[in-house]
Structures are given as structure tokens and as C-alpha cells.
Short mmCIF file of all heavy atoms in Angstrom, two decimals:
data_model
loop_
_atom_site.label_atom_id
_atom_site.label_comp_id
_atom_site.label_asym_id
_atom_site.label_seq_id
_atom_site.Cartn_x
_atom_site.Cartn_y
_atom_site.Cartn_z
N LYS N 1496 101.95 -3.77 98.61
CA LYS N 1496 102.30 -4.26 97.27
C LYS N 1496 101.59 -5.57 96.97
O LYS N 1496 101.55 -6.47 97.79
CB LYS N 1496 103.82 -4.44 97.15
CG LYS N 1496 104.58 -3.15 97.04
CD LYS N 1496 106.08 -3.39 96.90
CE LYS N 1496 106.83 -2.08 96.77
NZ LYS N 1496 108.29 -2.29 96.71
N GLY N 1497 101.02 -5.64 95.78
CA GLY N 1497 100.27 -6.82 95.38
C GLY N 1497 98.82 -6.79 95.79
O GLY N 1497 98.03 -7.63 95.32
N ARG N 1498 98.44 -5.87 96.67
CA ARG N 1498 97.06 -5.76 97.12
C ARG N 1498 96.38 -4.48 96.66
O ARG N 1498 95.18 -4.48 96.37
CB ARG N 1498 96.99 -5.82 98.65
CG ARG N 1498 97.55 -7.11 99.24
CD ARG N 1498 97.25 -7.22 100.74
NE ARG N 1498 97.90 -6.15 101.49
CZ ARG N 1498 97.25 -5.27 102.25
NH1 ARG N 1498 95.92 -5.31 102.36
NH2 ARG N 1498 97.93 -4.35 102.93
N PHE N 1499 97.11 -3.37 96.61
CA PHE N 1499 96.56 -2.07 96.22
C PHE N 1499 97.03 -1.70 94.83
O PHE N 1499 98.16 -2.03 94.42
CB PHE N 1499 97.01 -0.98 97.19
CG PHE N 1499 96.44 -1.06 98.57
CD1 PHE N 1499 95.74 -2.16 99.01
CD2 PHE N 1499 96.61 0.02 99.44
CE1 PHE N 1499 95.21 -2.22 100.29
CE2 PHE N 1499 96.10 -0.03 100.72
CZ PHE N 1499 95.40 -1.14 101.15
N THR N 1500 96.19 -0.98 94.08
CA THR N 1500 96.54 -0.48 92.76
C THR N 1500 96.09 0.97 92.63
O THR N 1500 94.92 1.27 92.87
CB THR N 1500 95.89 -1.31 91.65
OG1 THR N 1500 96.28 -2.68 91.77
CG2 THR N 1500 96.33 -0.80 90.28
N ILE N 1501 97.02 1.85 92.26
CA ILE N 1501 96.69 3.25 92.03
C ILE N 1501 96.54 3.48 90.53
O ILE N 1501 97.27 2.89 89.73
CB ILE N 1501 97.77 4.17 92.65
CG1 ILE N 1501 97.30 5.63 92.65
CG2 ILE N 1501 99.10 4.02 91.94
CD1 ILE N 1501 98.20 6.56 93.46
N SER N 1502 95.59 4.33 90.15
CA SER N 1502 95.37 4.65 88.75
C SER N 1502 94.79 6.04 88.64
O SER N 1502 94.36 6.62 89.64
CB SER N 1502 94.45 3.62 88.09
OG SER N 1502 93.17 3.62 88.70
N ARG N 1503 94.80 6.59 87.43
CA ARG N 1503 94.21 7.91 87.23
C ARG N 1503 93.43 7.96 85.92
O ARG N 1503 93.76 7.27 84.95
CB ARG N 1503 95.28 9.00 87.30
CG ARG N 1503 96.35 8.96 86.23
CD ARG N 1503 97.52 9.89 86.61
NE ARG N 1503 97.07 11.24 86.93
CZ ARG N 1503 97.71 12.10 87.70
NH1 ARG N 1503 98.88 11.77 88.25
NH2 ARG N 1503 97.22 13.30 87.93
N ASP N 1504 92.40 8.79 85.92
CA ASP N 1504 91.55 9.01 84.77
C ASP N 1504 91.54 10.51 84.51
O ASP N 1504 90.85 11.26 85.20
CB ASP N 1504 90.14 8.48 85.04
CG ASP N 1504 89.24 8.54 83.82
OD1 ASP N 1504 89.46 9.39 82.93
OD2 ASP N 1504 88.30 7.73 83.74
N SER N 1505 92.31 10.95 83.51
CA SER N 1505 92.44 12.37 83.24
C SER N 1505 91.12 13.01 82.85
O SER N 1505 90.84 14.15 83.22
CB SER N 1505 93.47 12.60 82.13
OG SER N 1505 94.76 12.20 82.54
N ALA N 1506 90.30 12.29 82.09
CA ALA N 1506 89.02 12.83 81.65
C ALA N 1506 88.10 13.15 82.82
O ALA N 1506 87.30 14.08 82.76
CB ALA N 1506 88.33 11.86 80.70
N LYS N 1507 88.21 12.38 83.90
CA LYS N 1507 87.39 12.59 85.08
C LYS N 1507 88.10 13.41 86.15
O LYS N 1507 87.51 13.69 87.19
CB LYS N 1507 86.95 11.26 85.67
CG LYS N 1507 86.05 10.45 84.75
CD LYS N 1507 85.64 9.13 85.38
CE LYS N 1507 84.73 8.34 84.47
NZ LYS N 1507 84.34 7.04 85.07
N ASN N 1508 89.37 13.77 85.89
CA ASN N 1508 90.16 14.54 86.85
C ASN N 1508 90.18 13.85 88.22
O ASN N 1508 90.06 14.49 89.26
CB ASN N 1508 89.61 15.97 86.98
CG ASN N 1508 90.68 16.99 87.28
OD1 ASN N 1508 91.85 16.82 86.94
ND2 ASN N 1508 90.28 18.08 87.93
N THR N 1509 90.35 12.53 88.19
CA THR N 1509 90.22 11.71 89.37
C THR N 1509 91.32 10.65 89.43
O THR N 1509 91.71 10.10 88.40
CB THR N 1509 88.84 11.02 89.40
OG1 THR N 1509 87.81 12.02 89.43
CG2 THR N 1509 88.69 10.12 90.62
N VAL N 1510 91.79 10.37 90.64
CA VAL N 1510 92.73 9.30 90.91
C VAL N 1510 92.06 8.29 91.83
O VAL N 1510 91.30 8.66 92.73
CB VAL N 1510 94.03 9.84 91.54
CG1 VAL N 1510 94.94 8.70 91.99
CG2 VAL N 1510 94.76 10.72 90.53
N TYR N 1511 92.35 7.02 91.60
CA TYR N 1511 91.72 5.94 92.36
C TYR N 1511 92.76 5.13 93.11
O TYR N 1511 93.92 5.02 92.70
CB TYR N 1511 90.96 5.00 91.42
CG TYR N 1511 89.92 5.69 90.59
CD1 TYR N 1511 90.19 6.07 89.29
CD2 TYR N 1511 88.67 5.98 91.12
CE1 TYR N 1511 89.24 6.72 88.52
CE2 TYR N 1511 87.71 6.63 90.36
CZ TYR N 1511 88.00 6.99 89.06
OH TYR N 1511 87.04 7.63 88.31
N LEU N 1512 92.34 4.53 94.21
CA LEU N 1512 93.14 3.54 94.91
C LEU N 1512 92.26 2.31 95.12
O LEU N 1512 91.36 2.33 95.96
CB LEU N 1512 93.65 4.08 96.25
CG LEU N 1512 94.60 3.14 97.01
CD1 LEU N 1512 95.93 3.00 96.25
CD2 LEU N 1512 94.85 3.64 98.43
N GLN N 1513 92.52 1.28 94.34
CA GLN N 1513 91.81 0.02 94.48
C GLN N 1513 92.51 -0.80 95.56
O GLN N 1513 93.70 -1.10 95.44
CB GLN N 1513 91.80 -0.76 93.17
CG GLN N 1513 91.11 -2.11 93.24
CD GLN N 1513 89.63 -2.01 93.48
OE1 GLN N 1513 88.95 -1.22 92.84
NE2 GLN N 1513 89.11 -2.80 94.41
N MET N 1514 91.78 -1.17 96.60
CA MET N 1514 92.33 -1.89 97.74
C MET N 1514 91.68 -3.25 97.83
O MET N 1514 90.47 -3.35 98.08
CB MET N 1514 92.12 -1.10 99.03
CG MET N 1514 92.65 0.33 98.97
SD MET N 1514 92.56 1.17 100.57
CE MET N 1514 90.78 1.23 100.79
N ASN N 1515 92.46 -4.30 97.64
CA ASN N 1515 91.99 -5.68 97.71
C ASN N 1515 92.65 -6.40 98.88
O ASN N 1515 93.67 -5.96 99.40
CB ASN N 1515 92.29 -6.42 96.41
CG ASN N 1515 91.61 -5.82 95.21
OD1 ASN N 1515 90.51 -5.29 95.30
ND2 ASN N 1515 92.28 -5.89 94.05
N SER N 1516 92.09 -7.53 99.26
CA SER N 1516 92.63 -8.35 100.34
C SER N 1516 92.93 -7.53 101.58
O SER N 1516 94.00 -7.62 102.18
CB SER N 1516 93.90 -9.07 99.86
OG SER N 1516 93.64 -9.88 98.74
N LEU N 1517 91.96 -6.73 101.98
CA LEU N 1517 92.17 -5.78 103.07
C LEU N 1517 92.39 -6.50 104.40
O LEU N 1517 91.80 -7.55 104.67
CB LEU N 1517 90.99 -4.83 103.17
CG LEU N 1517 91.00 -3.71 102.12
CD1 LEU N 1517 89.62 -3.09 101.99
CD2 LEU N 1517 92.04 -2.66 102.48
N LYS N 1518 93.25 -5.91 105.22
CA LYS N 1518 93.60 -6.43 106.52
C LYS N 1518 93.21 -5.42 107.60
O LYS N 1518 93.12 -4.23 107.33
CB LYS N 1518 95.12 -6.67 106.60
CG LYS N 1518 95.67 -7.59 105.53
CD LYS N 1518 97.19 -7.65 105.62
CE LYS N 1518 97.76 -8.57 104.56
NZ LYS N 1518 99.24 -8.64 104.64
N PRO N 1519 93.00 -5.88 108.84
CA PRO N 1519 92.71 -4.93 109.92
C PRO N 1519 93.77 -3.84 110.06
O PRO N 1519 93.43 -2.71 110.43
CB PRO N 1519 92.65 -5.82 111.16
CG PRO N 1519 92.22 -7.14 110.65
CD PRO N 1519 92.87 -7.27 109.30
N GLU N 1520 95.01 -4.15 109.74
CA GLU N 1520 96.09 -3.18 109.82
C GLU N 1520 95.95 -2.04 108.81
O GLU N 1520 96.64 -1.03 108.92
CB GLU N 1520 97.45 -3.86 109.61
CG GLU N 1520 97.71 -5.02 110.55
CD GLU N 1520 97.27 -6.34 109.96
OE1 GLU N 1520 96.10 -6.72 110.19
OE2 GLU N 1520 98.09 -7.00 109.28
N ASP N 1521 95.07 -2.20 107.82
CA ASP N 1521 94.82 -1.14 106.85
C ASP N 1521 93.85 -0.09 107.37
O ASP N 1521 93.62 0.92 106.69
CB ASP N 1521 94.26 -1.73 105.55
CG ASP N 1521 95.24 -2.67 104.86
OD1 ASP N 1521 96.44 -2.32 104.78
OD2 ASP N 1521 94.80 -3.73 104.38
N THR N 1522 93.26 -0.32 108.53
CA THR N 1522 92.30 0.63 109.09
C THR N 1522 92.98 1.96 109.37
O THR N 1522 93.99 2.03 110.07
CB THR N 1522 91.70 0.07 110.39
OG1 THR N 1522 90.94 -1.10 110.09
CG2 THR N 1522 90.79 1.09 111.05
N ALA N 1523 92.42 3.04 108.81
CA ALA N 1523 93.00 4.37 108.94
C ALA N 1523 92.12 5.37 108.21
O ALA N 1523 91.22 4.99 107.46
CB ALA N 1523 94.42 4.41 108.36
N VAL N 1524 92.41 6.64 108.41
CA VAL N 1524 91.88 7.69 107.55
C VAL N 1524 92.83 7.82 106.37
O VAL N 1524 94.04 7.97 106.56
CB VAL N 1524 91.73 9.03 108.28
CG1 VAL N 1524 91.25 10.12 107.31
CG2 VAL N 1524 90.76 8.90 109.44
N TYR N 1525 92.31 7.76 105.16
CA TYR N 1525 93.11 7.83 103.95
C TYR N 1525 92.97 9.20 103.32
O TYR N 1525 91.87 9.72 103.15
CB TYR N 1525 92.66 6.76 102.95
CG TYR N 1525 93.17 5.38 103.30
CD1 TYR N 1525 92.67 4.70 104.41
CD2 TYR N 1525 94.16 4.77 102.55
CE1 TYR N 1525 93.14 3.45 104.75
CE2 TYR N 1525 94.65 3.52 102.88
CZ TYR N 1525 94.13 2.86 103.99
OH TYR N 1525 94.60 1.61 104.31
N TYR N 1526 94.12 9.80 102.97
CA TYR N 1526 94.18 11.13 102.38
C TYR N 1526 94.85 11.06 101.01
O TYR N 1526 95.81 10.31 100.82
CB TYR N 1526 95.02 12.08 103.24
CG TYR N 1526 94.52 12.28 104.65
CD1 TYR N 1526 94.91 11.43 105.67
CD2 TYR N 1526 93.67 13.34 104.95
CE1 TYR N 1526 94.46 11.61 106.97
CE2 TYR N 1526 93.22 13.53 106.24
CZ TYR N 1526 93.62 12.66 107.25
OH TYR N 1526 93.18 12.87 108.53
N CYS N 1527 94.37 11.85 100.07
CA CYS N 1527 95.11 12.04 98.83
C CYS N 1527 95.72 13.44 98.82
O CYS N 1527 95.26 14.35 99.51
CB CYS N 1527 94.24 11.81 97.59
SG CYS N 1527 92.90 12.99 97.33
N ALA N 1528 96.79 13.59 98.04
CA ALA N 1528 97.52 14.85 97.98
C ALA N 1528 98.12 15.02 96.59
O ALA N 1528 98.40 14.04 95.90
CB ALA N 1528 98.63 14.87 99.04
N ALA N 1529 98.35 16.28 96.18
CA ALA N 1529 98.84 16.61 94.85
C ALA N 1529 100.20 17.30 94.93
O ALA N 1529 100.40 18.20 95.75
CB ALA N 1529 97.84 17.51 94.13
N ASP N 1530 101.11 16.89 94.03
CA ASP N 1530 102.49 17.39 93.97
C ASP N 1530 102.74 17.95 92.59
O ASP N 1530 102.70 17.21 91.60
CB ASP N 1530 103.46 16.26 94.30
CG ASP N 1530 104.91 16.60 94.08
OD1 ASP N 1530 105.24 17.80 93.93
OD2 ASP N 1530 105.74 15.66 94.06
N SER N 1531 103.05 19.24 92.49
CA SER N 1531 103.25 19.89 91.20
C SER N 1531 104.56 19.54 90.52
O SER N 1531 104.76 19.87 89.35
CB SER N 1531 103.18 21.42 91.36
OG SER N 1531 104.20 21.90 92.20
N SER N 1532 105.46 18.84 91.21
CA SER N 1532 106.78 18.50 90.67
C SER N 1532 106.90 17.04 90.26
O SER N 1532 108.01 16.55 90.08
CB SER N 1532 107.87 18.84 91.68
OG SER N 1532 107.88 20.21 91.99
N GLY N 1533 105.78 16.37 90.10
CA GLY N 1533 105.80 14.94 89.84
C GLY N 1533 105.66 14.54 88.39
O GLY N 1533 104.87 13.64 88.07
N ASN N 1534 106.39 15.18 87.49
CA ASN N 1534 106.27 14.90 86.06
C ASN N 1534 106.65 13.47 85.70
O ASN N 1534 105.90 12.78 85.00
CB ASN N 1534 107.14 15.86 85.25
CG ASN N 1534 106.59 17.26 85.21
OD1 ASN N 1534 105.87 17.69 86.11
ND2 ASN N 1534 106.94 17.99 84.16
N TYR N 1535 107.81 13.03 86.18
CA TYR N 1535 108.33 11.72 85.81
C TYR N 1535 108.27 10.71 86.93
O TYR N 1535 108.14 9.51 86.68
CB TYR N 1535 109.79 11.85 85.34
CG TYR N 1535 109.96 12.75 84.15
CD1 TYR N 1535 110.43 14.04 84.30
CD2 TYR N 1535 109.65 12.29 82.88
CE1 TYR N 1535 110.58 14.88 83.21
CE2 TYR N 1535 109.80 13.11 81.78
CZ TYR N 1535 110.27 14.40 81.95
OH TYR N 1535 110.42 15.22 80.85
#
């Protein structure tokens, strides 16, 4: 919180994760996933 920002661009059919102030503890493989029940 306060370092990462998630956003989406419908026209590009793409979601982004902006990661700032990165720490060694953030080292990992990052995966995105889609949920059909996430309307609200």
C-alpha cells in the first residue's frame, strides 16, 4: 500500500501494476489472473 498502483485500460484490454519504491522483499514471479464474478 502506498507503493503499488493497479489500473486498467479497457481499450487496450490490459491491466497494469505500477510498482514504485521497490524493496528486495518484492522479488518474486508475478502473475495476473481473471475473475468472472468481480463486477463490484
Side-chain angles (χ1 to χ4, degrees):
K1496 286 181 179 177
R1498 300 189 297 121
F1499 291 11
T1500 303
I1501 191 170
S1502 62
R1503 63 193 308 155
D1504 187 333
S1505 295
K1507 296 180 179 179
N1508 212 27
T1509 299
V1510 173
Y1511 303 98
L1512 185 68
Q1513 178 67 46
M1514 306 187 295
N1515 299 326
S1516 302
L1517 283 162
K1518 304 174 180 180
E1520 305 92 269
D1521 297 317
T1522 296
V1524 177
Y1525 283 70
Y1526 300 88
C1527 66
D1530 172 15
S1531 63
S1532 299
N1534 288 26
Y1535 300 102

